[in-house]
Amino acid sequence: MVLEAAADELGRLDTVVALAPASLALALRSAAVAALSKGTRAECDALVAAESDTLLDRALPQELLGWRDQLDDGERRARSGSAIQLDATGASSEFAALLQRTPDDRSPLERAIAVAAEAPSDAMGELAAALLLCRDGRMGRVRLLPFAGVDPALRRSAVEAYRAGAPMVWTRLATEALTQRARRLRRAALPLHNQHARDEALLAPLGRAAITARRAASLLLADLAGTMPWVAESLGLSRPAAADALERLCTLGIARELTGRARDRVYGYGVSLAAAGTLLGD
């Protein structure tokens, strides 16, 4: 029953994200990468900003860039049905076998639990498990690291027992963590289904100034983040008009500036970033 409950909750989450504006899925991808290096919301913001301005890659830690590349490559392989290849030095033969598309009598979630237990590190296990769930059709894309909520000390002892032939404790911890994380993220994501109306309620008091701000909000809701010049070009605005619209969105809490810089700033869609941030530390 616990396996079924976790699988059902993951399915509900995937449906909610798939039907939400695209900015949510983009934010979740950056949150997953940040979580692989035990990152915070600030590191998630930095990843999102770097997607809009590639020059910002230079300021990102190499570990973070490495996880980003592995997730992107792994997800491409998973979505195409190819064997997943990860840089997992010291991995067991069972771990390597699970990354291949080799049929067995286990459910997709059971295989994900197994690969997380057999991985050479918790982070690699989380990435591999997420990719297996994506490959096996349980997530359209990587939405979250499935078992990252398990206490590290409990995880170590449970994984040791799993490898020794006693799988119940790790299976219970993993499924409970997935159920809770998927449910929490789904609840945070649901408001995005009606986000246009919520934004309109905030923008309406601006009168004519709301026209340009509304268009900029819709752009960020779809693409998650961008620079002022990108907004100006995408909407056919002057740069001062684009800058004014973005500042209005930040004042209203619809958008958030991600770089903390006075120049070359990047703006992100606030609600999508906040939903993704529920799975990260402060």
Side-chain angles (χ1 to χ4, degrees):
M1 291 296 292
V2 290
L3 282 167
E4 292 177 4
D8 288 346
E9 200 62 60
L10 183 61
R12 294 187 191 102
L13 169 65
D14 195 61
T15 299
V16 166
V17 176
L19 294 176
S23 59
L24 176 60
L26 295 170
L28 292 177
R29 175 255 191 182
S30 291
V33 174
L36 286 167
S37 62
K38 294 182 171 44
T40 63
R41 297 189 188 203
E43 286 176 309
C44 179
D45 286 354
L47 280 164
V48 171
E51 292 294 317
S52 298
D53 183 351
T54 55
L55 292 177
L56 296 175
D57 266 8
R58 295 177 298 184
L60 296 177
Q62 286 302 310
E63 180 186 12
L64 206 59
L65 294 173
W67 284 120
R68 184 184 68 182
D69 292 344
Q70 288 210 72
L71 188 148
D72 286 349
D73 180 68
E75 190 179 66
R76 280 193 295 270
R77 292 175 182 275
R79 285 167 58 80
S80 69
S82 303
I84 300 166
Q85 297 178 3
L86 296 173
D87 182 12
T89 304
S92 67
S93 58
E94 173 71 2
F95 178 83
L98 284 162
L99 296 182
Q100 309 305 306
R101 190 175 269 288
T102 305
D104 59 35
D105 59 358
R106 289 175 288 189
S107 69
L109 183 52
E110 288 174 306
R111 285 193 292 272
I113 290 169
V115 79
E118 296 292 343
S121 70
D122 291 353
M124 184 57 68
E126 289 301 318
L127 176 58
L131 293 174
L132 284 190
L133 291 168
C134 183
R135 188 192 70 187
D136 292 342
R138 294 305 181 267
M139 292 192 286
R141 304 190 79 97
V142 173
R143 309 301 193 193
L144 78 173
L145 303 183
F147 318 126
V150 178
D151 176 84
L154 291 176
R155 183 175 185 137
R156 282 193 296 273
S157 61
V159 163
E160 288 174 4
Y162 188 100
R163 293 175 179 175
M168 292 307 298
V169 175
W170 170 238
T171 299
R172 177 179 58 80
L173 289 173
T175 51
E176 288 177 353
L178 175 57
T179 299
Q180 292 169 7
R181 289 169 65 77
R183 183 179 296 135
R184 184 164 73 249
L185 181 55
R186 174 171 58 85
R187 289 171 176 169
L190 274 172
L192 279 152
H193 286 201
N194 194 34
Q195 199 58 42
H196 279 294
R198 295 170 187 271
D199 287 350
E200 181 57 33
L202 292 171
L203 290 165
L206 297 180
R208 290 183 58 82
I211 297 173
T212 302
R214 186 180 295 117
R215 295 176 66 203
S218 296
L219 190 62
L220 293 180
L221 182 59
D223 290 349
L224 181 59
T227 63
M228 178 273 291
W230 169 77
V231 171
E233 181 177 355
S234 298
L235 300 180
L237 302 172
S238 68
R239 291 194 174 193
D244 181 67
L246 289 167
E247 289 303 318
R248 290 180 186 277
L249 294 180
C250 288
T251 299
L252 293 171
I254 295 173
R256 182 155 59 81
E257 203 285 313
L258 303 178
T259 66
R261 302 187 305 185
R263 300 187 58 180
D264 302 321
R265 307 172 88 190
V266 178
Y267 299 83
Y269 192 78
V271 176
S272 296
L273 291 167
T278 60
L279 300 180
L280 291 170
D282 293 326

